[in-house]
Amino acid sequence: AEAMGVLDEIGAGYENVEVGLEWFLLDKEKSVLRAELLKMTGQSSLPHVFINGKHVGGLFTGSEDGTYPGLAGLKESGELMKMVAQGLDVAS
């Protein structure tokens, strides 16, 4: 919810994909999605934020390769506004 709040605050459009809060409460489809996100990103925590198909991390955690500082870091540096201004797609 906090990540969506950051995106709402700057007026960014986004797609929110619900994957469930706790592993043990997930159905088969969402369990597979969470496992795939872990494999892709190296992170098991939520949220996962993708901008134009690139994983930028979570709210405060950056991308696994260190390229992006996470959503809050992007906002603080002004990079998030630049990305949104370029019309990049955001998914969280």
Side-chain angles (χ1 to χ4, degrees), residues 59-78:
L59 180 58
F60 299 108
T61 57
S63 58
E64 186 176 38
D65 65 5
T67 304
Y68 299 102
L71 195 60
L74 287 170
K75 180 184 175 215
E76 186 176 308
S77 71

Side-chain angles (χ1 to χ4, degrees), residues 36-88:
E36 195 60 34
L37 283 169
L38 173 60
K39 184 177 165 184
M40 286 172 52
T41 66
Q43 291 181 324
S44 61
S45 62
L46 296 175
H48 289 277
V49 180
F50 292 83
I51 299 179
N52 206 32
K54 295 178 184 170
H55 184 252
V56 299
L59 180 58
F60 299 108
T61 57
S63 58
E64 186 176 38
D65 65 5
T67 304
Y68 299 102
L71 195 60
L74 287 170
K75 180 184 175 215
E76 186 176 308
S77 71
E79 288 300 310
L80 183 59
M81 286 298 294
K82 290 178 188 175
M83 293 173 145
V84 170
Q86 292 173 359
L88 299 180

